[in-house]
Amino acid sequence: MSSIRLEIEKAMGLKFPERNGEVVVRFEESVEIPQPAETLMRGLYRDPDRVRQGFKLLHQETGSIIEILMPKRSRLREWADSLPERPKEAESFLRETAEQLLLKEQRLVQAERDLVGQLQESGLEDVYPIPLSAFGICNYRDPSVKLFLKPLGRFAELNEINPETLRQAVRVHFLFLLLLVAGIDLDGQVYARGSEDKVIHWLTSVYTMRYLRNQSTEMSHCYQEWVNAWGGKLPNQSLLNDRECEKTRAAMVFWRRQPNVSWDECWRIICQFERPMSTNSMVFN
């Protein structure tokens, strides 16, 4: 944990607060399920009882066909070895079972169509956007992070991604998030702005994406899927270039200290020292 914290401090150019020479940061991974995660944990179905009944009906219709097919298969096997003694009886038997199967098949097809329609009404898009607080929370006054493992695991399961890889990526995000607001500049200055979640989370994603690109493609993919789930804004790939790093830090430090200046304006001011062509490369919309 300490090695990740040091890497994150170095990447952002800030320091976590200290008390008596020790870093004051708590990191907790909890198995509780917060209220914002209840929809995600409950499932994707708008009417689960209706869907469950659809599967029950389909199971019954399938069973009724099997009840017709099993004796028919037995009789056909018997007649394949030895022709029926009375062809008319065999003809009547085949006609009756054919009519029964046709009727059952029509009911089976209708039950399948109804169930497919119900399933098409259910999907991840009905859950999105998922509140960020379903996965973790930050406390800036008493610098701490709490991750909720069960919602993260559920999200990984639904999206067929590695839960451990996702957990590592989300941990990095929340540590950058905590550092951005609770951290101290190298000259001792602290965060001076109010709550500006949109910009805060976007800047956090910029630094997290830069960090994760040196880890693994899988981790970056997991992270992007997760950010999209809670409606975050991913940075343009051009902002991840090394040459943008110092400019980003300068704008970020200026923005943290100037509560009356917007991020866009902070970025424009920093860009005045750069070539004109780069002026709009990191304006936040």
Side-chain angles (χ1 to χ4, degrees):
M1 182 65 191
S2 60
S3 62
I4 295 178
R5 176 181 55 78
L6 291 172
E7 290 176 10
I8 287 174
E9 286 182 329
K10 181 179 179 181
M12 189 169 271
L14 302 174
K15 300 285 289 183
F16 282 108
E18 295 184 357
R19 185 181 301 135
N20 299 324
E22 294 186 2
V23 173
V24 185
V25 174
R26 290 187 297 106
F27 189 91
E28 177 184 355
E29 293 182 326
S30 173
V31 295
E32 67 183 282
I33 300 174
Q35 189 277 328
E38 289 180 357
T39 301
L40 175 67
M41 301 302 294
R42 187 166 56 246
L44 307 176
Y45 303 103
R46 297 177 181 177
D47 190 346
D49 289 337
R50 182 175 167 222
V51 175
R52 191 177 294 109
Q53 185 61 36
F55 277 112
K56 183 178 180 180
L57 176 60
L58 188 59
H59 180 262
Q60 291 172 346
E61 295 296 341
T62 304
S64 67
I65 288 181
I66 293 174
E67 289 175 0
I68 298 172
L69 283 175
M70 292 304 290
K72 184 172 184 176
R73 281 174 55 85
S74 177
R75 187 67 62 87
L76 291 175
R77 185 184 302 112
E78 176 186 331
W79 288 340
D81 295 334
S82 177
L83 290 176
E85 294 181 0
R86 290 179 285 275
K88 290 296 183 181
E89 289 185 8
E91 179 185 350
S92 177
F93 173 80
L94 292 176
R95 286 183 183 277
E96 289 177 4
T97 55
E99 291 172 358
Q100 290 175 346
L101 284 172
L102 180 60
L103 178 61
K104 294 294 184 181
E105 182 182 12
Q106 291 173 344
R107 294 177 59 176
L108 177 67
V109 169
Q110 186 59 50
E112 285 181 336
R113 287 175 178 169
D114 291 344
L115 182 55
V116 167
Q118 295 170 33
L119 294 173
Q120 288 177 338
E121 294 176 358
S122 305
L124 282 174
E125 61 272 11
D126 297 321
V127 178
Y128 292 157
I130 303 168
L132 182 58
S133 57
F135 302 108
I137 54 176
C138 280
N139 184 333
Y140 302 124
R141 294 186 177 181
D142 176 22
S144 62
V145 174
K146 178 188 283 190
L147 291 190
F148 301 114
L149 297 182
K150 288 188 176 180
L152 283 171
R154 174 65 170 155
F155 178 80
E157 176 188 11
L158 292 173
N159 287 272
E160 299 180 341
I161 56 181
N162 188 310
E164 177 60 23
T165 303
L166 175 66
R167 183 185 68 82
Q168 293 176 18
V170 173
R171 172 195 286 185
V172 171
H173 176 95
F174 274 99
L175 284 174
F176 270 122
L177 175 62
L178 184 63
L179 181 60
L180 178 63
V181 178
I184 300 172
D185 293 325
L186 301 183
D187 60 0
Q189 295 292 321
V190 297
Y191 182 85
R193 306 185 72 90
S195 177
E196 299 179 49
D197 289 348
K198 201 171 183 180
V199 181
I200 290 172
H201 290 302
W202 179 71
L203 272 172
T204 299
S205 294
V206 172
Y207 277 96
T208 303
M209 285 290 292
R210 281 181 177 166
Y211 179 88
L212 294 181
R213 69 177 182 172
N214 296 320
Q215 303 302 310
S216 71
T217 303
E218 181 187 18
M219 192 173 292
S220 294
H221 170 70
C222 288
Y223 179 70
Q224 291 177 60
E225 288 288 318
W226 176 72
V227 171
N228 288 330
W230 52 265
K233 184 179 177 66
L234 289 166
N236 188 291
Q237 288 295 316
S238 64
L239 302 179
L240 307 181
N241 295 333
D242 291 338
R243 72 180 186 84
E244 297 288 328
C245 185
E246 287 303 317
K247 204 162 61 168
T248 303
R249 164 157 169 72
M252 182 264 294
V253 170
F254 184 38
W255 175 80
R256 290 175 84 247
R257 297 183 180 186
Q258 303 296 324
N260 297 320
V261 183
S262 69
W263 168 260
D264 288 354
E265 186 60 28
C266 289
W267 184 251
R268 291 190 183 96
I269 292 171
I270 296 300
C271 284
Q272 289 177 357
F273 301 100
E274 296 289 324
R275 296 191 302 273
M277 65 177 291
S278 66
T279 301
N280 295 321
S281 63
M282 199 173 174
V283 171
F284 176 79
N285 295 316

